[in-house]
Amino acid sequence: MKKNTSILIPIMHVISWLAFVGASIKAGAILTSYLVSIFGNKIASENMYLSLNLSQLMNQDIVAYSILSILVIGVLVMEALLCYQVIRIFLKIDFSKPFQIQVEKIIMNMSVIALFVGILCKLSSGFAKRYTDEGMSFPHLNEHIGVGDAFLYFAGILFVIDIVFRKGIELQTENDLTV
């Protein structure tokens, strides 16, 4: 491995851990705010985390508030899980023989998770749009869930990478068997 690469890999590993911790904190904060707003103080729905305000929805329809909150929490938990999968790749990969079945399975899992994140983002956006069409406002909602297109595209890219990785595993195995 080149010198630049050997420096870059540990830095990327640390960044992956930071992204995982940040996504986990964000998901945990919104989950905590949701639980507090349901079982304790309803004012918690006004500033769930980073200015996410779902108080209008909570005041009108608590079931819809719960559905949207759970969708948002689901997106954030799956984003954290996606970050964790990147950490798993760093823990499993051997750069002398990078094409390994364990790594390929992680990449396939990442593709599936990214697909589900994209679908949940689309569901969340569609669900929220139903209420914004009625005049409600959900400030900063898209900052928390996005629009989902990027995750759907990312899922497709990961799927293609997985196919290439499978072919690499075949070639590496074939090369190992050659005397």
Side-chain angles (χ1 to χ4, degrees):
M1 205 172 355
K2 292 183 180 178
K3 184 178 179 183
N4 292 342
T5 306
S6 62
I7 293 171
L8 189 60
I9 297 298
I11 291 171
M12 290 177 62
H13 193 173
V14 170
I15 290 171
S16 299
W17 270 105
L18 292 174
F20 171 67
V21 169
S24 299
I25 289 171
K26 189 174 181 181
I30 291 181
L31 175 63
T32 302
S33 295
Y34 167 72
L35 293 173
V36 167
S37 68
I38 293 294
F39 299 112
N41 191 350
K42 292 185 179 196
I43 295 175
S45 65
E46 292 177 11
N47 188 7
M48 293 182 83
Y49 184 72
L50 296 176
S51 302
L52 178 61
N53 186 347
L54 301 179
S55 61
Q56 289 179 351
L57 186 59
M58 183 176 185
N59 292 334
Q60 181 177 337
D61 186 355
I62 194 138
V63 173
Y65 168 74
S66 293
I67 291 170
L68 185 57
S69 296
I70 290 168
L71 284 170
V72 170
I73 292 165
V75 166
L76 296 173
V77 166
M78 292 189 84
E79 284 179 7
L81 186 57
L82 196 57
C83 293
Y84 181 69
Q85 297 302 313
V86 174
I87 292 167
R88 286 186 60 211
I89 286 177
F90 282 115
L91 295 174
K92 297 278 183 186
I93 198 161
D94 176 12
F95 287 103
S96 63
K97 289 189 175 187
F99 297 107
Q100 301 167 352
I101 292 173
Q102 300 93 337
V103 175
E104 183 269 331
K105 287 181 181 180
I106 295 170
I107 293 171
M108 179 53 83
N109 286 342
M110 288 175 67
S111 177
V112 171
I113 292 168
L115 177 66
F116 282 128
V117 170
I119 291 169
L120 277 178
C121 288
K122 289 291 193 183
L123 285 172
S124 302
S125 295
F127 189 80
K129 186 175 181 340
R130 176 178 157 200
Y131 291 96
T132 55
D133 289 346
E134 295 176 7
M136 286 189 192
S137 173
F138 305 122
H140 308 285
L141 179 62
N142 280 342
E143 293 172 19
H144 294 280
I145 61 170
V147 290
D149 295 340
F151 282 103
L152 294 173
Y153 184 67
F154 185 52
I157 291 171
L158 285 172
F159 183 72
V160 170
I161 290 171
D162 181 64
I163 291 170
V164 171
F165 224 82
R166 271 190 242 152
K167 185 64 176 173
I169 291 170
E170 289 175 21
L171 293 173
Q172 184 173 292
T173 304
E174 196 175 293
N175 188 32
D176 290 344
L177 295 176
T178 306
V179 177

